[in-house]
């Protein structure tokens, strides 16, 4: 067990524990804060995988952006901070069966599949390569993403706008 | 990919570029002509007809483009072929019909100061669908599905006139998010095994007996979940009735035709390019043994049509009834896919062409009547056959065609489907589909009973419809009757377009 393994298990533990807390705590603001640790833990795992660009994006977009928006949404919405979310358990038997089957399937998929893997090389920065790919091989996808964002903006403006009575 | 091949690739996505340019033109004109939005629908027409021109001009163009340098020469992001062109024409024609539809609809007229956004979002849908029918790479497939979904979530709740609109939008969004999450998970499983997102690379991988059956089954089912949601196949259909009822009726019609067409084209291309080992002389597709698409789709389709037809029996709202009927039709069309042969493919294309006309026609009549009476309830259709003879007759034609009785186009559509099923020795399935058609007769004819046999106290209240609407309805009804008698041109067209670029 070398130092990388230890760091991996550390991040994995942070992710799992805070993820569990996100869905179990009753206060919605606490839940949002635990989400911060979950997303941070995932960013750490990306770093260990040598995916530096994705790790930074994960930090900037999810931890820095989406989570702050989420907190603002919670705080600006009237009275929602005091409300306990309903966390009661319903239909426990079918849920356990469903989750059990799903867990079994996922585990056997993970262990029995021969995954395609590349040999571990020295880790190099990926940002420049991603940039090159985005404007060469994946240029169509890149341009289409731009249109997708435009549509998302138009859609958000349409939903948010209040109609004149 | 070098600049030279990028330049030649432009020709292959000319229709898509046209649509994207039209989308941006709409946004710009909406900003410039702040007060006068009358011009926007005409820009939309212009965009759609220019795109149609490019599709028609490049109809026989074939090839794969946007190649990925790490892959084999023949693999690219998009495959241009006649199959794709046929579905692009279907999508563009139904979009043109829907724009006419929207210009007439009272609901959309009430929100006309937001016309710019409405048409921009429609063009977002068109662009997403055009890429769905042509994409041969899972990244592009996912992105185009998302583009279509995002635009349609907003459009489903666009009018904001009633609470139902918001409900429709929210339900669509939540179900859609789950479905696209499942699809993405399936895609990630495929990528984990194949090491590429390209469908042709997937096919190459499946030629060798390397794949783990369990993992592959999970991946195929998960990817199907994303597509099944788009085509409203059971058990991913739960959103359909509420969304169809709550959305503006022009969008309901659009979702039930164009978005389904794109979903089916995507499913067929996924199977055809990703999973078919070889095609024998009779045009039967031989699928890799890793996943039994035929049994899977047959089970899904029987479930879909039975659920759709039986739930439609008790509906009193016509929009809701047509929603369930469109679920049932998705079931029939899935059977055509399940045949997994060139014959089945032809049956699917014939069915879709006719389904587009009859379904848009039926929704258009329902919309015209709802604009006058303010309701889609079946009791408000009492005596409608006398109050507005033209609409009554037209709706009769559309509903008979949806049932699949001669002498309408719907009969030809069902006939070819059943022939394809019997040819493939799926007689048991054909019998189930036939029995389902009998069930559907009840709820379609029930509307006719209300229109002609039940009298109401408003019988003498005739109502006026504008000349252009009369032409539109008469045209669609005449086309349905014509296709029931003289269908050779359609068959000839379809025979020539079942060609794929691998």
């Amino acid at each position: 067990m070398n130092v990388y393994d230890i760091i991996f298990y550390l991040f994995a533990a942070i992710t799992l524990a805070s993820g569990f807390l996100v869905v179990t705590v009753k206060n919605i603001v606490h839940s949002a804060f635990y989400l911060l640790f979950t997303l941070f833990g995932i960013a750490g795992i990306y770093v260990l995988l040598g995916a530096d660009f994705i790790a930074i994006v994960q930090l900037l977009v999810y931890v820095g952006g989406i989570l702050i928006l989420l907190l603002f949404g919670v705080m600006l919405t009237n009275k929602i901070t005091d409300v306990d979310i309903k966390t009661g358990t319903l239909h426990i038997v079918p849920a356990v069966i469903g989750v059990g089957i799903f867990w079994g399937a996922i585990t056997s998929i993970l262990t029995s599949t021969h995954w395609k893997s590349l040999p571990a090389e020295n880790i190099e920065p990926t940002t420049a390569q991603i940039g090159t790919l985005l404007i060469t091989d994946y240029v169509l996808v890149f341009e289409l993403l731009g249109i997708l964002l435009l549509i998302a903006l138009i859609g958000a403006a349409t939903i948010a706008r209040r109609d004149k009575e | 990919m070098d600049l030279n091949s990028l330049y030649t690739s432009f020709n292959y996505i000319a229709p898509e570029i046209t649509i994207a340019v039209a989308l941006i033109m709409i946004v710009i004109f909406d900003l410039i002509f702040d007060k006068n939005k009358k011009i926007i629908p005409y820009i939309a027409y212009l965009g759609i007809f220019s795109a149609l021109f490019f599709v028609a001009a490049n109809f026989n163009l074939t090839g794969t483009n946007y190649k990925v340098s790490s892959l084999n020469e023949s693999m690219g992001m998009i495959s241009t072929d006649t199959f794709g062109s046929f579905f692009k024409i279907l999508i563009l024609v139904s979009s043109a019909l829907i724009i006419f539809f929207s210009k007439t609809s009272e609901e959309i007229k009430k929100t006309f100061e937001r016309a710019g956004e409405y048409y921009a979002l429609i063009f977002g849908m068109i662009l997403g669908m055009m890429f769905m029918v042509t994409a041969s790479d899972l990244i592009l497939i996912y992105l185009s599905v998302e583009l279509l979904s995002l635009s349609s979530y907003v459009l489903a709740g666009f009018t904001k006139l009633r609470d139902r609109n918001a409900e429709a939008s929210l339900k669509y969004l939540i179900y859609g998010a789950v479905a696209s999450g499942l699809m993405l998970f399936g895609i990630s499983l495929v990528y984990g095994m194949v090491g590429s997102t390209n469908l042709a690379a997937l096919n190459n991988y499946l030629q060798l007996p390397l794949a783990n059956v369990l993992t592959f089954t999970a991946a195929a089912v998960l990817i199907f979940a994303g597509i099944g949601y788009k085509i409203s196949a059971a058990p991913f259909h739960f959103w359909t009735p509420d969304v169809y009822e709550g959305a503006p009726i022009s969008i309901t019609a659009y979702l039930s035709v164009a978005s389904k067409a794109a979903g089916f084209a995507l499913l067929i291309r996924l199977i055809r390019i990703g999973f078919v080992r070889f095609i024998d002389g009779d045009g039967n597709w031989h699928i890799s043994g890793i996943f039994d698409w035929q049994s899977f789709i047959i089970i899904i389709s029987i479930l879909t049509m039975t659920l759709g037809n039986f739930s439609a029996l008790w509906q009193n709202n016509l929009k809701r009834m047509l929603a369930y009927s469109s679920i049932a039709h998705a079931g029939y069309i899935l059977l055509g896919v399940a045949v997994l042969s060139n014959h089945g493919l032809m049956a699917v294309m014939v069915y879709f062409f006719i389904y587009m006309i009859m379904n848009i026609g039926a929704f258009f009549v329902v919309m015209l009547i709802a604009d006058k009476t303010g309701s889609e309830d079946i009791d408000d259709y009492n005596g409608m056959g006398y109050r507005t003879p033209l609409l009554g007759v037209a709706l009769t034609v559309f509903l008979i065609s949806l049932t699949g009785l001669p002498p309408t186009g719907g009969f030809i559509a069902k006939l070819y489907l059943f022939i394809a099923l019997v040819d493939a020795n799926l007689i048991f399935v054909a019998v189930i589909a036939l029995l389902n058609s009998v069930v559907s007769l009840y709820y379609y004819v029930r509307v006719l009973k209300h229109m002609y046999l039940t009298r109401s106290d408003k019988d003498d209240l005739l109502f006026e419809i504008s000349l252009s609407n009369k032409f539109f309805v008469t045209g669609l009804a005449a086309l349905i009757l014509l296709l029931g008698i003289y269908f050779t041109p359609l068959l000839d067209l379809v025979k020539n377009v079942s060609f794929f670029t691998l």
Side-chain angles (χ1 to χ4, degrees):
Chain A
M1 200 156 164
N2 62 22
V3 65
Y4 286 108
D5 289 345
I6 296 169
I7 299 172
F8 171 78
Y9 284 113
L10 189 69
F11 278 124
I14 291 175
T15 311
L16 280 178
S18 58
F20 181 74
L21 285 169
V22 169
V23 293
T24 46
V25 290
K26 300 223 169 192
N27 186 316
I28 193 164
V29 181
H30 292 179
S31 185
F33 274 111
Y34 284 122
L35 194 58
L36 186 103
F37 292 103
T38 315
L39 297 173
F40 178 76
I42 292 170
I45 291 173
Y46 283 141
V47 171
L48 285 181
L49 288 171
D52 54 348
F53 182 74
I54 299 180
I56 296 296
V57 169
Q58 167 86 9
L59 277 181
L60 281 179
V61 175
Y62 281 91
V63 182
I66 290 179
L67 205 68
I68 300 299
L69 275 181
L70 205 69
L71 280 175
F72 265 95
V74 170
M75 286 172 185
L76 293 178
T77 315
N78 277 341
K79 289 175 186 166
I80 203 171
T81 38
D82 306 329
V83 180
D84 283 346
I85 330 163
K86 200 175 173 195
T87 47
T89 315
L90 291 169
H91 306 296
I92 196 154
V93 176
V96 166
I97 295 173
V99 170
I101 291 173
F102 185 69
W103 181 79
I106 293 287
T107 321
S108 47
I109 282 173
L110 264 181
T111 50
S112 67
T113 308
H114 176 73
W115 299 106
K116 176 136 182 161
S117 55
L118 293 171
E121 295 165 11
N122 288 331
I123 292 170
E124 290 170 10
T126 56
T127 316
Q129 293 173 28
I130 291 176
T132 315
L133 280 179
L134 274 184
I135 55 163
T136 52
D137 287 356
Y138 293 91
V139 65
L140 185 63
V141 173
F142 186 60
E143 295 295 327
L144 200 61
L145 260 177
I147 293 173
L148 182 82
L149 286 179
L150 176 68
I151 288 292
L153 274 178
I154 296 173
T158 308
I159 291 175
R161 177 152 131 183
R162 191 169 293 167
D163 263 343
K164 279 168 273 175
E165 293 300 322
Chain B
M1 193 175 68
D2 54 82
L3 278 178
N4 221 353
S5 71
L6 182 67
Y7 185 70
T8 50
S9 292
F10 280 154
N11 204 18
Y12 291 81
I13 56 162
E16 286 85 352
I17 293 177
T18 316
I19 293 292
V21 169
L23 163 68
I24 291 160
M25 292 291 277
I26 288 171
V27 175
I28 292 173
F29 273 81
D30 185 40
L31 291 173
I32 296 176
F33 299 100
D34 195 24
K35 294 283 174 284
N36 185 9
K37 312 265 184 195
K38 287 235 166 1
I39 190 174
I40 290 173
Y42 297 101
I43 304 175
Y45 276 133
L46 186 70
I48 287 175
F49 286 119
S50 338
L52 257 178
F53 166 77
F54 281 118
V55 176
N58 295 344
F59 197 81
N60 290 317
L61 202 64
T62 54
T64 55
N65 275 288
Y66 291 96
K67 299 189 168 40
V68 179
S69 39
S70 59
L71 289 173
N72 194 315
E73 249 311 282
S74 65
M75 299 174 187
M77 287 269 166
I78 60 164
S79 300
T80 317
D81 44 34
T82 49
F83 167 79
S85 298
F86 177 83
F87 272 94
K88 277 181 199 169
I89 287 178
L90 209 66
I91 287 163
L92 288 171
V93 168
S94 58
S95 308
L97 295 177
I98 291 298
I99 284 173
F100 181 85
F101 203 142
S102 310
K103 279 183 68 187
T104 319
S105 171
E106 288 294 329
E107 280 176 304
I108 305 300
K109 275 185 191 162
K110 276 182 198 153
T111 54
F112 199 70
E113 77 268 19
R114 295 194 280 138
E117 286 116 59
Y118 181 81
Y119 287 103
L121 289 167
I122 291 238
F123 270 69
M125 282 181 80
I126 301 176
L127 190 63
M129 292 187 284
M130 302 267 277
F131 273 112
M132 267 166 87
V133 302
T134 195
S136 59
D137 191 287
L138 289 168
I139 295 180
L140 193 60
I141 286 174
Y142 176 72
L143 197 62
S144 49
V145 170
E146 276 303 283
L147 186 57
L148 168 63
S149 310
L150 258 180
S151 321
S152 37
Y153 299 151
V154 182
L155 283 174
F158 188 79
T159 52
K160 298 199 253 186
L161 298 173
R162 292 168 294 161
D163 285 348
R164 289 218 83 103
N165 301 140
E167 185 196 335
S169 190
L170 193 63
K171 270 201 177 139
Y172 201 22
L173 173 70
I174 292 172
Y175 279 106
V178 172
S180 84
L182 291 177
M183 187 175 177
L184 206 52
F185 190 53
I187 290 175
S188 75
L189 288 180
V190 170
Y191 181 72
M193 281 179 292
V194 183
S196 163
T197 50
N198 198 288
L199 291 183
L202 168 65
N203 196 329
N204 284 353
Y205 176 79
L206 289 179
Q207 305 278 357
L208 311 165
L210 291 170
N212 179 307
V213 176
L214 173 73
T215 317
F216 226 90
T217 308
V221 171
L222 286 170
I223 293 178
F224 182 84
I227 302 172
Y229 161 80
K230 277 273 151 266
I231 61 178
S232 65
F236 313 107
H237 70 285
F238 291 106
W239 58 276
T240 318
D242 291 328
V243 172
Y244 280 20
E245 195 187 341
I249 192 159
S250 49
I251 298 303
T252 306
Y254 201 39
L255 287 178
S256 73
V257 176
S259 139
K260 268 189 198 192
F264 271 103
L266 173 55
L267 176 66
I268 293 169
R269 189 181 293 278
L270 176 77
I271 296 177
R272 178 67 185 75
I273 300 189
F275 290 86
V276 171
R277 285 176 95 92
F278 65 95
I279 298 183
D280 65 20
D282 298 332
N284 294 319
W285 301 358
H286 291 262
I287 299 279
S288 318
I290 196 89
F291 183 68
D292 190 356
W293 277 105
Q294 187 163 50
S295 319
F296 178 70
I297 296 179
I298 285 176
I299 292 167
I300 294 272
S301 80
I302 289 175
L303 207 63
T304 308
M305 68 172 101
T306 315
L307 265 169
N309 278 323
F310 279 89
S311 316
L313 290 179
W314 292 281
Q315 302 306 325
N316 286 324
N317 180 308
L318 241 75
K319 246 166 131 184
R320 220 176 156 81
M321 185 207 93
L322 284 174
Y324 280 112
S325 120
S326 96
I327 297 178
H329 281 278
Y332 299 131
I333 300 169
L334 268 178
L335 281 184
V337 181
V339 172
L340 295 177
S341 71
N342 288 348
H343 272 111
L345 184 62
M346 277 181 226
V348 169
M349 293 201 273
V350 169
Y351 204 108
F352 245 114
F353 190 85
I354 292 167
Y355 172 74
M356 168 182 82
I357 301 168
M358 62 192 182
N359 220 32
I360 288 184
F363 273 114
F364 193 73
V365 175
V366 171
M367 187 270 291
L368 285 179
I369 292 175
D371 280 353
K372 298 288 175 189
T373 62
S375 146
E376 290 125 11
D377 202 83
I378 198 161
D379 288 328
D380 290 315
Y381 280 70
N382 290 349
M384 205 48 90
Y386 305 99
R387 287 176 65 189
T388 161
L390 176 70
L391 291 188
V393 170
L395 189 57
T396 309
V397 171
F398 295 136
L399 291 180
I400 290 206
S401 180
L402 282 166
T403 321
L405 294 178
T408 57
F411 173 69
I412 302 303
K414 285 233 165 66
L415 183 70
Y416 272 89
L417 195 66
F418 289 141
I419 290 176
L421 282 173
V422 171
D423 272 354
N425 269 325
L426 296 168
I427 294 163
F428 175 65
V429 186
V431 170
I432 293 180
L434 204 61
L435 290 176
N436 258 290
S437 296
V438 177
V439 173
S440 73
L441 184 64
Y442 172 79
Y443 60 83
Y444 290 128
V445 170
R446 189 162 149 245
V447 180
L448 303 187
K449 183 202 137 218
H450 276 268
M451 283 205 304
Y452 288 103
L453 300 180
T454 320
R455 287 282 177 167
S456 83
D457 45 357
K458 299 183 210 140
D459 263 8
D460 42 344
L461 277 170
L462 293 176
F463 64 78
E464 284 296 306
I465 35 175
S466 73
L467 195 62
S468 59
N469 290 346
K470 273 184 190 160
F471 269 120
F472 188 76
V473 169
T474 320
L476 290 183
L479 203 54
I480 282 294
L481 289 175
L482 182 70
L483 282 171
I485 303 156
Y486 182 63
F487 46 87
T488 337
L490 179 61
L491 287 183
D492 286 343
L493 173 72
V494 159
K495 258 179 208 147
N496 291 324
V497 300
S498 48
F499 178 80
F500 281 88
T501 305
L502 292 183

